[in-house]
Coordinates of all heavy atoms in Angstrom, one line a residue:
M9 N 104.0 5.5 5.6 CA 102.8 4.8 5.5 C 102.2 5.2 4.1 O 102.2 6.4 3.7 CB 101.8 5.3 6.6 CG 100.5 4.6 6.4 SD 99.5 5.1 7.9 CE 98.6 3.6 8.1
T10 N 101.7 4.2 3.3 CA 101.2 4.5 2.0 C 99.7 4.9 2.1 O 99.0 4.5 3.0 CB 101.3 3.3 1.1 OG1 100.6 2.2 1.6 CG2 102.8 2.9 0.9
S11 N 99.3 5.6 1.1 CA 97.8 6.0 1.0 C 97.0 4.7 0.6 O 97.5 3.9 -0.1 CB 97.7 7.0 -0.1 OG 96.4 7.3 -0.3
P12 N 95.8 4.7 1.1 CA 94.9 3.5 0.8 C 94.6 3.4 -0.7 O 94.1 2.4 -1.2 CB 93.7 3.7 1.7 CG 93.7 5.1 2.1 CD 95.1 5.5 2.0
T13 N 94.8 4.6 -1.4 CA 94.4 4.6 -2.8 C 95.6 4.4 -3.7 O 95.5 4.4 -4.9 CB 93.7 5.9 -3.2 OG1 94.7 7.0 -2.9 CG2 92.5 6.1 -2.4
S14 N 96.8 4.2 -3.1 CA 98.0 4.0 -4.0 C 97.9 2.7 -4.8 O 97.5 1.7 -4.2 CB 99.3 4.0 -3.1 OG 99.3 2.9 -2.3
G15 N 98.3 2.8 -6.0 CA 98.3 1.6 -6.8 C 96.9 1.3 -7.6 O 96.8 0.4 -8.3
Y16 N 96.0 2.2 -7.4 CA 94.7 2.1 -8.0 C 94.5 3.2 -9.0 O 94.8 4.3 -8.7 CB 93.5 2.1 -7.0 CG 93.5 0.8 -6.1 CD1 94.0 0.8 -4.8 CD2 92.9 -0.3 -6.6 CE1 93.9 -0.3 -4.1 CE2 92.8 -1.4 -5.8 CZ 93.3 -1.4 -4.6 OH 93.2 -2.6 -3.8
D17 N 93.8 2.9 -10.1 CA 93.4 3.9 -11.1 C 92.1 4.5 -10.6 O 91.1 4.0 -11.0 CB 93.4 3.3 -12.5 CG 92.9 4.3 -13.5 OD1 93.0 5.5 -13.3 OD2 92.5 3.8 -14.5
I18 N 92.1 5.5 -9.8 CA 90.8 6.0 -9.2 C 89.9 6.5 -10.3 O 88.7 6.3 -10.3 CB 91.1 7.1 -8.2 CG1 92.0 6.6 -7.1 CG2 89.9 7.8 -7.7 CD1 91.4 5.5 -6.3
E19 N 90.5 7.2 -11.3 CA 89.6 7.8 -12.4 C 89.0 6.7 -13.2 O 87.8 6.8 -13.6 CB 90.4 8.7 -13.3 CG 90.9 10.0 -12.5 CD 89.7 10.8 -12.0 OE1 88.7 10.9 -12.6 OE2 89.8 11.2 -10.8
G20 N 89.7 5.6 -13.4 CA 89.2 4.5 -14.2 C 88.1 3.8 -13.4 O 87.1 3.4 -14.0
I21 N 88.3 3.6 -12.1 CA 87.3 3.0 -11.2 C 86.0 3.9 -11.2 O 84.9 3.4 -11.3 CB 87.8 2.8 -9.8 CG1 88.9 1.8 -9.8 CG2 86.7 2.4 -8.8 CD1 89.7 1.7 -8.4
K22 N 86.2 5.2 -11.1 CA 85.0 6.1 -11.1 C 84.3 6.1 -12.4 O 83.1 6.1 -12.5 CB 85.5 7.5 -10.7 CG 85.9 7.7 -9.3 CD 86.3 9.1 -9.0 CE 85.2 9.8 -8.3 NZ 85.6 11.2 -7.9
K23 N 85.0 6.0 -13.5 CA 84.4 6.0 -14.9 C 83.6 4.7 -15.0 O 82.4 4.8 -15.5 CB 85.5 6.1 -15.9 CG 85.0 6.1 -17.3 CD 86.1 6.2 -18.3 CE 85.6 6.2 -19.7 NZ 86.7 6.2 -20.7
K24 N 84.2 3.6 -14.7 CA 83.5 2.3 -14.8 C 82.3 2.3 -13.9 O 81.2 1.8 -14.3 CB 84.5 1.2 -14.4 CG 83.9 -0.2 -14.7 CD 85.1 -1.2 -14.5 CE 84.5 -2.6 -14.8 NZ 85.6 -3.6 -14.5
A25 N 82.4 2.8 -12.7 CA 81.3 2.8 -11.7 C 80.2 3.7 -12.2 O 79.0 3.4 -12.1 CB 81.7 3.3 -10.4
L26 N 80.5 4.8 -12.8 CA 79.5 5.8 -13.3 C 78.7 5.1 -14.5 O 77.5 5.2 -14.6 CB 80.1 7.1 -13.8 CG 79.2 8.2 -14.3 CD1 78.2 8.6 -13.2 CD2 80.0 9.3 -14.8
I27 N 79.5 4.5 -15.4 CA 78.8 3.8 -16.5 C 77.9 2.7 -16.0 O 76.7 2.7 -16.5 CB 79.9 3.2 -17.5 CG1 80.6 4.3 -18.2 CG2 79.3 2.2 -18.5 CD1 81.9 3.8 -18.9
W28 N 78.3 1.9 -15.1 CA 77.4 0.8 -14.6 C 76.3 1.4 -13.7 O 75.2 0.7 -13.6 CB 78.2 -0.3 -13.9 CG 78.9 -1.1 -14.9 CD1 80.2 -1.2 -15.2 CD2 78.3 -2.1 -15.8 NE1 80.4 -2.1 -16.2 CE2 79.3 -2.6 -16.6 CE3 76.9 -2.5 -16.0 CZ2 79.0 -3.6 -17.5 CZ3 76.7 -3.4 -16.9 CH2 77.7 -4.0 -17.7
T29 N 76.5 2.5 -13.1 CA 75.3 3.2 -12.4 C 74.2 3.6 -13.4 O 73.1 3.3 -13.2 CB 75.8 4.4 -11.7 OG1 76.8 4.1 -10.7 CG2 74.7 5.1 -11.0
I30 N 74.6 4.2 -14.5 CA 73.6 4.6 -15.5 C 73.0 3.4 -16.1 O 71.8 3.4 -16.2 CB 74.3 5.6 -16.5 CG1 74.8 6.8 -15.8 CG2 73.4 5.8 -17.7 CD1 75.7 7.7 -16.7
V31 N 73.8 2.5 -16.6 CA 73.2 1.3 -17.2 C 72.4 0.5 -16.3 O 71.4 0.0 -16.6 CB 74.4 0.4 -17.8 CG1 73.8 -0.9 -18.4 CG2 75.1 1.2 -18.9
G32 N 72.8 0.4 -15.0 CA 72.1 -0.3 -14.0 C 70.7 0.3 -13.7 O 69.7 -0.4 -13.7
F33 N 70.7 1.6 -13.6 CA 69.4 2.3 -13.3 C 68.4 2.1 -14.5 O 67.2 1.9 -14.4 CB 69.5 3.8 -13.0 CG 69.8 4.0 -11.5 CD1 70.9 4.7 -11.1 CD2 68.9 3.6 -10.5 CE1 71.1 4.9 -9.7 CE2 69.1 3.8 -9.2 CZ 70.2 4.5 -8.8
I34 N 69.0 2.2 -15.7 CA 68.1 2.1 -16.9 C 67.7 0.7 -17.2 O 66.6 0.4 -17.5 CB 68.9 2.7 -18.1 CG1 69.1 4.2 -17.9 CG2 68.2 2.5 -19.5 CD1 69.9 4.9 -19.0
C35 N 68.6 -0.2 -17.2 CA 68.4 -1.6 -17.6 C 68.3 -2.6 -16.5 O 67.6 -3.7 -16.6 CB 69.4 -2.1 -18.6 SG 69.6 -1.0 -20.0
G36 N 69.0 -2.4 -15.4 CA 69.1 -3.4 -14.4 C 68.3 -3.2 -13.1 O 68.2 -4.1 -12.3
G37 N 67.6 -2.0 -13.0 CA 66.8 -1.8 -11.9 C 67.5 -1.0 -10.8 O 68.7 -0.6 -10.9
V38 N 66.8 -0.7 -9.8 CA 67.3 0.1 -8.7 C 68.5 -0.5 -7.9 O 69.5 0.2 -7.6 CB 66.2 0.4 -7.7 CG1 66.7 1.2 -6.5 CG2 65.0 1.2 -8.4
I39 N 68.4 -1.8 -7.7 CA 69.5 -2.4 -6.9 C 70.8 -2.3 -7.7 O 71.9 -2.0 -7.1 CB 69.1 -3.9 -6.6 CG1 67.9 -3.9 -5.7 CG2 70.3 -4.6 -6.0 CD1 67.4 -5.3 -5.5
A40 N 70.8 -2.6 -9.0 CA 72.1 -2.5 -9.7 C 72.6 -1.0 -9.8 O 73.8 -0.8 -9.6 CB 71.9 -3.0 -11.2
G41 N 71.7 -0.1 -9.9 CA 72.1 1.3 -9.9 C 72.6 1.8 -8.6 O 73.6 2.5 -8.6
V42 N 72.1 1.3 -7.5 CA 72.6 1.7 -6.2 C 74.0 1.1 -6.0 O 74.8 1.8 -5.5 CB 71.6 1.2 -5.1 CG1 72.2 1.3 -3.7 CG2 70.3 2.1 -5.2
F43 N 74.2 -0.2 -6.4 CA 75.5 -0.7 -6.3 C 76.5 0.1 -7.1 O 77.7 0.3 -6.6 CB 75.5 -2.2 -6.7 CG 75.2 -3.1 -5.6 CD1 74.1 -3.9 -5.6 CD2 76.0 -3.3 -4.4 CE1 73.7 -4.8 -4.6 CE2 75.7 -4.2 -3.4 CZ 74.5 -4.9 -3.5
G44 N 76.2 0.5 -8.3 CA 77.1 1.3 -9.1 C 77.3 2.6 -8.5 O 78.5 3.1 -8.4
L45 N 76.3 3.2 -7.9 CA 76.5 4.5 -7.2 C 77.4 4.4 -6.0 O 78.2 5.2 -5.7 CB 75.1 5.1 -6.8 CG 75.1 6.5 -6.2 CD1 75.7 7.5 -7.1 CD2 73.7 6.8 -5.8
L46 N 77.2 3.3 -5.2 CA 78.1 3.1 -4.1 C 79.5 2.9 -4.5 O 80.4 3.4 -3.9 CB 77.6 1.9 -3.3 CG 76.3 2.1 -2.4 CD1 75.9 0.7 -1.9 CD2 76.6 3.1 -1.3
G47 N 79.7 2.2 -5.6 CA 81.1 2.1 -6.2 C 81.7 3.4 -6.5 O 82.8 3.6 -6.3
Y48 N 80.8 4.3 -7.1 CA 81.3 5.6 -7.5 C 81.7 6.4 -6.3 O 82.8 7.1 -6.2 CB 80.3 6.3 -8.3 CG 80.7 7.7 -8.8 CD1 81.6 7.8 -10.0 CD2 80.4 8.8 -8.2 CE1 82.0 9.0 -10.4 CE2 80.8 10.1 -8.6 CZ 81.6 10.1 -9.8 OH 82.1 11.4 -10.2
L49 N 80.9 6.4 -5.3 CA 81.1 7.2 -4.1 C 82.3 6.7 -3.2 O 83.0 7.5 -2.6 CB 79.8 7.2 -3.2 CG 78.7 7.9 -3.8 CD1 77.4 7.8 -3.0 CD2 78.9 9.4 -4.1
K50 N 82.5 5.4 -3.3 CA 83.6 4.8 -2.5 C 85.0 4.8 -3.2 O 86.0 4.5 -2.6 CB 83.3 3.4 -2.1 CG 82.1 3.2 -1.2 CD 82.6 3.1 0.2 CE 81.5 2.8 1.1 NZ 81.8 3.0 2.5
A51 N 85.0 5.3 -4.4 CA 86.3 5.2 -5.2 C 87.4 6.0 -4.6 O 88.5 5.5 -4.7 CB 86.0 5.6 -6.7
D52 N 87.1 7.1 -4.1 CA 88.2 8.0 -3.6 C 88.8 7.4 -2.3 O 90.0 7.5 -2.0 CB 87.7 9.4 -3.3 CG 87.4 10.1 -4.6 OD1 88.2 9.9 -5.6 OD2 86.5 10.9 -4.7
T53 N 88.0 6.9 -1.4 CA 88.4 6.4 -0.1 C 88.8 4.9 0.0 O 89.7 4.6 0.6 CB 87.4 6.8 1.0 OG1 86.1 6.2 0.6 CG2 87.2 8.3 1.1
E54 N 87.9 4.1 -0.7 CA 88.1 2.7 -0.6 C 88.0 2.1 -2.0 O 87.0 1.5 -2.4 CB 87.1 2.0 0.3 CG 87.1 2.6 1.7 CD 85.9 2.0 2.5 OE1 85.5 0.9 2.3 OE2 85.3 2.8 3.4
P55 N 89.0 2.2 -2.8 CA 89.0 1.7 -4.2 C 88.7 0.2 -4.3 O 88.0 -0.2 -5.3 CB 90.3 2.1 -4.8 CG 91.2 2.4 -3.7 CD 90.3 2.7 -2.5
E56 N 89.2 -0.6 -3.4 CA 88.9 -2.1 -3.5 C 87.4 -2.4 -3.3 O 86.8 -3.1 -4.0 CB 89.7 -2.8 -2.5 CG 89.7 -4.3 -2.6 CD 90.7 -5.0 -1.7 OE1 91.7 -4.4 -1.4 OE2 90.4 -6.1 -1.3
T57 N 86.8 -1.7 -2.3 CA 85.4 -1.8 -2.1 C 84.6 -1.3 -3.3 O 83.6 -1.9 -3.7 CB 85.0 -1.1 -0.8 OG1 85.8 -1.6 0.3 CG2 83.5 -1.3 -0.4
A58 N 85.0 -0.2 -3.8 CA 84.4 0.4 -5.0 C 84.4 -0.6 -6.1 O 83.4 -0.7 -6.9 CB 85.1 1.7 -5.4
Q59 N 85.5 -1.3 -6.4 CA 85.5 -2.3 -7.4 C 84.6 -3.4 -7.2 O 83.9 -3.9 -8.2 CB 86.9 -2.8 -7.6 CG 87.9 -1.8 -8.2 CD 89.3 -2.3 -8.3 OE1 89.7 -3.1 -7.5 NE2 90.1 -1.8 -9.3
K60 N 84.4 -3.8 -6.0 CA 83.4 -4.9 -5.6 C 82.0 -4.4 -5.9 O 81.2 -5.2 -6.5 CB 83.6 -5.3 -4.2 CG 84.9 -6.1 -3.9 CD 85.1 -6.5 -2.5 CE 86.4 -7.1 -2.2 NZ 86.6 -7.4 -0.9
F61 N 81.7 -3.2 -5.5 CA 80.3 -2.7 -5.7 C 80.0 -2.6 -7.2 O 78.9 -2.9 -7.7 CB 80.1 -1.4 -5.0 CG 79.8 -1.4 -3.6 CD1 80.5 -0.6 -2.7 CD2 78.8 -2.3 -3.1 CE1 80.2 -0.6 -1.3 CE2 78.6 -2.3 -1.7 CZ 79.2 -1.5 -0.8
T62 N 81.0 -2.1 -7.9 CA 80.9 -2.0 -9.4 C 80.7 -3.3 -10.0 O 79.9 -3.5 -11.0 CB 82.1 -1.2 -10.0 OG1 82.2 0.0 -9.3 CG2 81.9 -1.0 -11.5
K63 N 81.5 -4.3 -9.6 CA 81.3 -5.7 -10.1 C 79.9 -6.2 -9.9 O 79.3 -6.8 -10.8 CB 82.4 -6.6 -9.5 CG 82.3 -8.0 -10.0 CD 83.4 -8.9 -9.4 CE 82.9 -9.4 -8.2 NZ 83.8 -10.4 -7.6
W64 N 79.4 -6.0 -8.7 CA 78.0 -6.5 -8.4 C 77.0 -5.8 -9.2 O 76.0 -6.4 -9.6 CB 77.8 -6.4 -6.9 CG 78.3 -7.6 -6.2 CD1 79.4 -7.6 -5.4 CD2 77.9 -8.9 -6.3 NE1 79.7 -8.9 -4.9 CE2 78.8 -9.7 -5.5 CE3 76.8 -9.6 -6.9 CZ2 78.6 -11.1 -5.3 CZ3 76.7 -10.9 -6.8 CH2 77.6 -11.7 -6.0
A65 N 77.2 -4.5 -9.5 CA 76.3 -3.7 -10.3 C 76.2 -4.3 -11.7 O 75.2 -4.5 -12.3 CB 76.6 -2.3 -10.3
M66 N 77.5 -4.7 -12.2 CA 77.6 -5.3 -13.5 C 76.9 -6.6 -13.6 O 76.1 -6.9 -14.5 CB 79.1 -5.4 -13.9 CG 79.3 -6.0 -15.2 SD 81.1 -6.2 -15.6 CE 81.6 -7.3 -14.3
I67 N 77.1 -7.4 -12.6 CA 76.6 -8.8 -12.6 C 75.1 -8.8 -12.5 O 74.3 -9.4 -13.3 CB 77.1 -9.6 -11.4 CG1 78.6 -9.9 -11.6 CG2 76.3 -10.9 -11.1 CD1 79.3 -10.5 -10.4
I68 N 74.5 -7.9 -11.7 CA 73.1 -7.8 -11.5 C 72.4 -7.3 -12.8 O 71.4 -7.8 -13.3 CB 72.7 -6.9 -10.3 CG1 73.1 -7.6 -9.0 CG2 71.2 -6.6 -10.3 CD1 73.0 -6.7 -7.8
T69 N 73.0 -6.3 -13.4 CA 72.5 -5.7 -14.7 C 72.5 -6.8 -15.8 O 71.5 -6.9 -16.5 CB 73.4 -4.5 -15.1 OG1 73.3 -3.5 -14.1 CG2 72.8 -3.9 -16.4
I70 N 73.6 -7.5 -15.9 CA 73.7 -8.6 -16.9 C 72.6 -9.7 -16.7 O 72.0 -10.2 -17.6 CB 75.1 -9.2 -17.0 CG1 76.0 -8.1 -17.6 CG2 75.1 -10.4 -17.8 CD1 77.5 -8.5 -17.5
I71 N 72.4 -10.1 -15.4 CA 71.4 -11.1 -15.1 C 70.0 -10.6 -15.5 O 69.2 -11.3 -16.1 CB 71.5 -11.5 -13.6 CG1 72.7 -12.3 -13.4 CG2 70.3 -12.3 -13.2 CD1 73.0 -12.6 -11.9
V72 N 69.7 -9.4 -15.1 CA 68.4 -8.8 -15.4 C 68.2 -8.7 -16.9 O 67.1 -9.0 -17.4 CB 68.2 -7.4 -14.7 CG1 67.0 -6.7 -15.2 CG2 68.1 -7.6 -13.2
L73 N 69.2 -8.2 -17.6 CA 69.1 -8.1 -19.1 C 68.9 -9.5 -19.7 O 68.1 -9.7 -20.7 CB 70.3 -7.5 -19.7 CG 70.4 -6.0 -19.5 CD1 71.7 -5.4 -20.0 CD2 69.3 -5.3 -20.3
A74 N 69.6 -10.5 -19.2 CA 69.4 -11.9 -19.7 C 67.9 -12.4 -19.5 O 67.3 -13.0 -20.3 CB 70.4 -12.8 -19.1
L75 N 67.4 -12.0 -18.3 CA 66.0 -12.4 -18.0 C 65.0 -11.7 -18.9 O 64.0 -12.3 -19.3 CB 65.7 -12.1 -16.5 CG 66.4 -13.1 -15.5 CD1 66.1 -12.6 -14.1 CD2 66.0 -14.5 -15.7
Y76 N 65.3 -10.4 -19.2 CA 64.5 -9.7 -20.1 C 64.5 -10.3 -21.5 O 63.4 -10.5 -22.2 CB 65.0 -8.2 -20.3 CG 64.6 -7.3 -19.2 CD1 65.4 -6.2 -19.0 CD2 63.6 -7.5 -18.3 CE1 65.1 -5.3 -18.0 CE2 63.3 -6.7 -17.3 CZ 64.1 -5.5 -17.1 OH 63.8 -4.7 -16.1
V77 N 65.6 -10.7 -22.0 CA 65.7 -11.4 -23.3 C 65.0 -12.7 -23.3 O 64.2 -13.0 -24.2 CB 67.2 -11.6 -23.7 CG1 67.4 -12.5 -24.9 CG2 67.9 -10.3 -24.0
L78 N 65.1 -13.5 -22.2 CA 64.4 -14.8 -22.1 C 62.9 -14.5 -22.1 O 62.1 -15.3 -22.7 CB 64.8 -15.5 -20.9 CG 66.2 -16.2 -21.0 CD1 66.6 -16.8 -19.6 CD2 66.2 -17.3 -22.0
L79 N 62.5 -13.5 -21.4 CA 61.0 -13.2 -21.3 C 60.5 -12.8 -22.7 O 59.4 -13.2 -23.1 CB 60.8 -12.1 -20.3 CG 59.3 -11.7 -20.1 CD1 58.5 -12.8 -19.5 CD2 59.3 -10.4 -19.2
F80 N 61.3 -12.0 -23.4 CA 60.9 -11.5 -24.7 C 60.8 -12.7 -25.7 O 59.8 -12.9 -26.4 CB 61.9 -10.5 -25.3 CG 61.5 -9.9 -26.6 CD1 60.5 -9.1 -26.8 CD2 62.3 -10.3 -27.7 CE1 60.2 -8.5 -28.0 CE2 62.0 -9.8 -29.0 CZ 60.9 -8.9 -29.1
V81 N 61.8 -13.5 -25.8 CA 61.9 -14.7 -26.6 C 60.8 -15.6 -26.3 O 60.1 -16.2 -27.1 CB 63.3 -15.3 -26.6 CG1 63.2 -16.7 -27.3 CG2 64.3 -14.4 -27.2
G82 N 60.5 -15.9 -25.0 CA 59.5 -16.8 -24.6 C 58.1 -16.3 -25.0 O 57.2 -17.1 -25.4
S83 N 57.9 -15.0 -24.9 CA 56.6 -14.5 -25.3 C 56.4 -14.6 -26.8 O 55.2 -14.8 -27.2 CB 56.4 -13.0 -24.8 OG 57.3 -12.2 -25.4
I84 N 57.4 -14.4 -27.6 CA 57.3 -14.5 -29.0 C 57.0 -16.0 -29.3 O 56.1 -16.3 -30.2 CB 58.7 -14.1 -29.7 CG1 58.9 -12.6 -29.5 CG2 58.7 -14.5 -31.2 CD1 58.2 -11.7 -30.4
L85 N 57.7 -16.9 -28.7 CA 57.5 -18.3 -29.0 C 56.1 -18.8 -28.6 O 55.4 -19.5 -29.3 CB 58.5 -19.2 -28.2 CG 60.0 -19.2 -28.8 CD1 60.9 -20.0 -27.9 CD2 60.0 -19.7 -30.2
L86 N 55.6 -18.3 -27.4 CA 54.2 -18.6 -27.0 C 53.2 -18.0 -28.1 O 52.2 -18.7 -28.4 CB 53.9 -18.1 -25.7 CG 54.5 -18.8 -24.5 CD1 54.3 -18.2 -23.2 CD2 53.9 -20.3 -24.5
G87 N 53.5 -16.8 -28.5 CA 52.6 -16.3 -29.6 C 52.6 -17.0 -30.8 O 51.5 -17.3 -31.5
V88 N 53.7 -17.5 -31.3 CA 53.8 -18.3 -32.5 C 53.2 -19.6 -32.3 O 52.4 -20.1 -33.2 CB 55.3 -18.4 -32.9 CG1 55.5 -19.5 -34.0 CG2 55.9 -17.1 -33.3
M89 N 53.4 -20.3 -31.2 CA 52.8 -21.6 -30.9 C 51.3 -21.5 -30.8 O 50.5 -22.3 -31.3 CB 53.4 -22.2 -29.7 CG 54.9 -22.3 -29.8 SD 55.8 -23.8 -29.5 CE 54.8 -25.0 -28.8
G90 N 50.8 -20.4 -30.2 CA 49.4 -20.2 -30.0 C 48.7 -19.9 -31.4 O 47.7 -20.4 -31.7
A91 N 49.4 -19.2 -32.3 CA 48.9 -18.9 -33.6 C 48.9 -20.2 -34.4 O 48.0 -20.4 -35.3 CB 49.7 -17.8 -34.3
A92 N 49.9 -21.1 -34.2 CA 50.0 -22.3 -35.0 C 48.9 -23.3 -34.6 O 48.5 -24.1 -35.5 CB 51.4 -22.9 -34.8
T93 N 48.5 -23.3 -33.4 CA 47.5 -24.2 -32.9 C 46.1 -23.7 -33.1 O 45.1 -24.4 -32.9 CB 47.7 -24.6 -31.5 OG1 47.6 -23.4 -30.7 CG2 49.0 -25.3 -31.3
G94 N 46.0 -22.4 -33.5 CA 44.7 -21.9 -33.8 C 44.0 -21.3 -32.6 O 42.7 -21.1 -32.6
M95 N 44.7 -21.0 -31.5 CA 44.0 -20.5 -30.3 C 43.8 -19.0 -30.4 O 44.4 -18.1 -30.6 CB 44.8 -20.8 -29.1 CG 44.9 -22.3 -28.9 SD 45.7 -22.6 -27.3 CE 44.6 -23.8 -26.7

């Protein structure tokens, strides 16, 4: 019988999960950070599940960062348009 972790790069999974945990908590919010943390904790026993959690942490973080950028650009544009109309 083979080990459930055979064929997986556990250290690589843990490294990627740790990176996305930190980036998730800083930039993506609590949900992204928790998914990354779950990926890190599951890496030793369930590497396939850990990869899924890490992927979701990455996706959520990227979506939140894109929304931050849109909000920033939108506020700049509203400021410029308001200044241009004399408001």
Side-chain angles (χ1 to χ4, degrees):
M9 180 174 216
T10 60
S11 170
T13 60
S14 65
Y16 289 99
D17 177 21
I18 301 300
E19 292 304 315
I21 293 170
K22 288 178 102 171
K23 181 179 176 182
K24 188 174 180 182
L26 182 62
I27 290 169
W28 282 107
T29 298
I30 294 168
V31 173
F33 274 124
I34 292 173
C35 302
V38 175
I39 295 173
V42 168
F43 273 116
L45 183 61
L46 287 172
Y48 183 81
L49 295 174
K50 294 267 186 190
D52 288 326
T53 57
E54 301 174 36
E56 189 173 331
T57 304
Q59 287 176 331
K60 289 178 184 177
F61 280 133
T62 304
K63 181 178 87 173
W64 279 107
M66 180 182 62
I67 290 169
I68 292 169
T69 302
I70 290 171
I71 289 172
V72 169
L73 284 174
L75 291 174
Y76 284 157
V77 169
L78 286 175
L79 181 67
F80 181 74
V81 170
S83 64
I84 297 280
L85 288 175
L86 284 175
V88 168
M89 304 227 353
T93 60
M95 296 185 137

